[in-house]
Amino acid sequence: MKQLALLLAAFVLAVQSSHTFGPLATSPAPVVPVESPRNIILMIGDGMGLTQVTAGLYARKEGLHLERFPVTGLIKTHSAKNLITDSAAGATAFACGCKTYNGAIGMTAKKQPCPTILEQAEAFGMATGLVSTSSITHATPASFIAHARDRTYMEEIATFFLKTDVDMFIGGGMRYFAARTVDKRNLYEELQAKGYAVSYFLQQPLEHCVLDPKKPFAWFSAVKEPESVEDGRTYLPLAARLAPEFLAQRSEKGFFLMVEGAQIDWACHANKGPQAVAEMLDFDDAIGEALRFAEKDGNTLVIVTADHETGGMALLRGADKESLKIKFTTDYHTPVMVPVFAYGPGAEMFGGIYDNTDIYFKMRELLQFPTVEAK
Ligand code: MG
Ligand code: ZN
């Protein structure tokens, strides 16, 4: 009898849980935010899947700043027609809230420009900024400020930095501004003429730059792509410290800042485990700087996520905490869900499993922007 009762209980539980895990007929009611943040810092680890996070976590004895986030979620990263997204479609999902084709920069699947969260923040009177360890015209940062049919149109993408009143940007790719081939424009000088304090790595290292909140700021870390952490790149954590302090002084209405750890992806494409870990730890240092600002400010939401996983990274048996045994199953991206971490006012909205496009809708809801017509 006792066994039957147990079986029955197990059956009831199984039925209940099959209901819980089956397809939902209706979506649950949305979580109503308790409070809205003044500022949002969106941090994107390009190619940062759970294994990349795990590798970083065991590689650093004291652990990661990521472990301090109270809310975690998972996002589905597929693009409009592909199970496996690229970084352009992945970033456009965050920037515009639409699933689009691979290669699209701030464009819908129908190749129409979509208003980005950064452009909307500008229109709303907020200060805005972009920081990356790739060229600033590279797919991830580009999707927040530009509208181009293809990610390879770097010089076209650079012109959008003159069309939007972005308050600051830091990254590589100076040649797309100052050594252009498609036209004779010098966008470096045009930025100066527009009132920007512009400098670059040879002229002035970032640590020597004094940011004047009265002037928008631009700094180029390289002519082409910035070097890797292993080759001596150090500016990302510093940029993540300087940017929020600077942007907070640029507008009373708050700021939107995107910070990208771009080269986790590149190390994983090259199947270089230790390099991927080094980039992961550098990105986590930048996360620590953003968290420090948010903890002090009390009015800043920090969201950390990834556009996709890269490399199908695995940690194998035989590895211990001190010496990780890293293997890769591909030199491209994979479609596994990637993590979301949130801290600050509105963070509770970022738990659960949802689409990458929902990052955009949640941010817009929290910033209380008026609805933009979908195309
Ligand atoms: Mg990227
Ligand atoms: Zn990639």
Side-chain angles (χ1 to χ4, degrees):
M1 269 311 278
K2 200 174 174 188
Q3 265 182 338
L4 185 68
L6 274 174
L7 264 176
L8 197 64
F11 176 72
V12 170
L13 267 177
V15 170
Q16 279 175 345
S17 58
S18 75
H19 271 280
T20 312
F21 295 110
L24 294 168
T26 54
S27 295
V31 176
V32 180
V34 183
E35 41 175 349
S36 283
R38 177 203 296 270
N39 313 311
I40 291 185
I41 305 176
L42 174 63
M43 307 190 73
I44 303 174
D46 200 316
M48 186 188 75
L50 270 180
T51 315
Q52 284 79 359
V53 173
T54 310
L57 192 147
Y58 287 120
R60 183 170 273 172
K61 282 195 184 68
E62 60 272 33
L64 296 180
H65 291 290
L66 274 176
E67 295 174 69
R68 296 160 54 200
F69 282 72
V71 177
T72 53
L74 292 167
I75 49 171
K76 297 177 261 186
T77 65
H78 62 272
S79 55
K81 288 188 180 151
N82 294 86
L83 178 62
I84 298 180
T85 190
D86 82 325
S87 294
T92 299
F94 298 146
C96 301
C98 60
K99 295 268 187 190
T100 188
Y101 60 96
N102 288 356
I105 300 293
M107 295 287 235
T108 66
K110 291 175 182 166
K111 301 199 172 170
Q112 297 301 310
C114 46
T116 74
I117 191 92
L118 184 144
E119 289 169 322
Q120 292 171 61
E122 273 296 330
F124 211 59
M126 295 172 76
T128 58
L130 293 173
V131 171
S132 179
T133 50
S134 66
S135 284
I136 201 66
T137 50
H138 209 272
T140 311
S143 298
F144 286 84
I145 197 167
H147 306 280
R149 288 190 167 212
D150 194 87
R151 57 183 293 167
T152 57
Y153 303 163
M154 295 287 200
E155 294 189 12
E156 182 187 330
I157 289 164
T159 63
F160 282 89
F161 286 78
L162 272 302
K163 292 177 190 167
T164 310
D165 291 327
V166 63
D167 291 81
M168 74 159 328
F169 61 90
I170 290 173
M174 194 166 87
R175 66 171 170 169
Y176 305 117
F177 292 75
R180 294 166 64 80
T181 57
V182 293
D183 56 31
K184 292 268 154 30
R185 289 175 71 181
N186 185 326
L187 303 183
Y188 187 101
E189 287 172 5
E190 286 186 35
L191 283 166
Q192 284 178 321
K194 206 180 164 186
Y196 281 77
V198 195
S199 56
Y200 65 101
F201 63 105
L202 284 179
Q203 189 188 53
Q204 201 171 29
L206 187 60
E207 50 268 45
H208 294 172
C209 290
V210 180
L211 279 69
D212 175 2
K214 288 193 217 67
K215 281 185 139 199
F217 175 81
W219 186 75
F220 292 98
S221 62
V223 172
K224 298 179 182 175
E225 295 300 348
E227 54 196 358
S228 65
V229 166
E230 289 189 332
D231 287 336
R233 191 194 73 235
T234 57
Y235 72 82
L236 183 64
L238 176 60
R241 181 163 83 232
L242 294 175
E245 298 284 356
F246 174 76
L247 291 172
Q249 298 174 74
R250 290 283 299 169
S251 171
E252 287 173 2
K253 290 188 176 168
F255 66 79
F256 171 80
L257 168 66
M258 193 289 295
V259 177
E260 186 200 15
Q263 298 197 29
I264 301 167
D265 176 65
W266 303 357
C268 292
H269 276 291
N271 287 184
K272 291 179 175 168
Q275 195 172 325
V277 170
E279 293 293 341
M280 180 66 227
L281 296 180
D282 181 61
F283 185 52
D284 190 68
D285 287 339
I287 292 165
E289 296 290 351
L291 263 188
R292 190 170 308 151
F293 176 87
E295 283 166 345
K296 185 174 55 141
D297 177 69
N299 224 336
T300 301
L301 170 65
V302 183
I303 307 158
V304 185
T305 187
D307 46 2
H308 52 73
E309 194 273 346
T310 304
M313 193 199 250
L315 302 177
L316 300 192
R317 194 168 71 165
D320 55 39
K321 281 177 72 176
E322 277 66 45
S323 61
L324 295 169
K325 194 170 172 189
I326 296 171
K327 280 274 165 40
F328 293 92
T329 57
T330 174
D331 62 2
Y332 194 59
H333 309 155
T334 69
V336 291
M337 291 191 289
V338 292
V340 182
F341 305 84
Y343 170 88
E348 65 275 15
M349 303 225 343
F350 291 83
I353 294 178
Y354 46 95
D355 259 314
N356 54 1
T357 46
D358 288 334
I359 296 276
Y360 165 85
F361 292 109
K362 289 172 195 292
M363 291 193 296
R364 213 185 60 188
E365 190 180 332
L366 285 167
L367 293 175
Q368 297 166 342
F369 289 160
T371 305
V372 181
E373 270 181 46
K375 287 199 182 73

